[in-house]
Amino acid sequence: MKKQYTVHELATISGVSVRTLHYYDELGLLYPMCIAENGYRIYGSKEVDKLQQILFYRELKVPLKRIKDIMDAPDYDKAKELEKQLQQLLLQKEQLELLIQNISKTIGTLKGENVMSDIEKFEGFKQKMIDDNENEYGKEIREKYGDEIIDASYAKVKGMSQKQWEEAQKLSEQILVTLKEAFEQGDPASELAQKACDLHRQWLCMFWKEGTYSKEAHKALAEGYVADERFTAYYDKIAPGCTKFLRDAIAVYCEQ
């Protein structure tokens, strides 16, 4: 079995373009094993394995910069990372299978072969949202709030009717629209900003376990938005600084 490849040969067997391999080299993500006398990039088995790992990450939609950070880390463990990738791919497989089942049931309903409840119609979408949330934030939110509260919240989502699900989506949109208008006014204590906060409270209560909402928890969550770049990126899509504005508005809301 061949152990060394030119950039064109590696592109052929991997399905990755030569241009992409050159780009990975420029980023410092995948260097060739050596440069031959004729100027050709030469890749060995180590580089082949590394490219495979990179492509696994790309299938999981991991940004190139993040891939480089992961693989350059001093404690990088290829076997452990492959295990993580496998678990994420299995999760995606489960999500797809559930959506396929959901579509099949819907087709059967349209043909009069079966009847779907409103909850069943949204099972696939709700489960995907739960799985995505668990994959992204599961470890930290379970450490912060405990398994019981998180599992209860997921169960509440699964039990949502069509009307409740649509209401949650509508609330989410209303929050962003109202927050944008309030931010443009520039006053966290304004009537419009406080309306955005109340919509946010209503939205939280649709997902949180009954009886767990409190003003203290609401304020702490808003502080977490500012501290976590993932949430900051979400709200700052409205406008830079919008996450801090929301935090300040919620602080006013919770003092009333």
Side-chain angles (χ1 to χ4, degrees), residues 48 54 75 86 105 131-132 141 145 167 203 211 223-224 247 255:
V48 170
I54 291 168
D75 59 350
L86 177 60
K105 285 182 182 179
D131 291 340
D132 288 346
I141 60 176
Y145 301 108
E167 183 181 346
W203 181 80
E223 290 290 350
R247 186 241 354 239
E255 290 301 323

Side-chain angles (χ1 to χ4, degrees), residues 22-44:
H22 285 173
Y23 183 54
Y24 288 173
D25 188 356
E26 291 172 12
L27 291 178
L29 187 60
L30 180 67
Y31 294 119
M33 179 181 70
C34 64
I35 304 295
E37 291 183 3
N38 57 11
Y40 287 178
R41 289 175 168 87
I42 303 298
Y43 296 83

Side-chain angles (χ1 to χ4, degrees), residues 104-116:
S104 297
K105 285 182 182 179
T106 302
I107 292 172
T109 299
L110 293 172
K111 290 181 176 180
E113 298 171 355
N114 57 264
V115 178
M116 291 182 74

Side-chain angles (χ1 to χ4, degrees), residues 199-212:
L199 290 170
H200 190 259
R201 176 193 60 80
Q202 293 176 47
W203 181 80
L204 288 176
C205 289
M206 294 197 72
F207 293 93
W208 285 9
K209 181 183 177 182
E210 296 293 339
T212 57

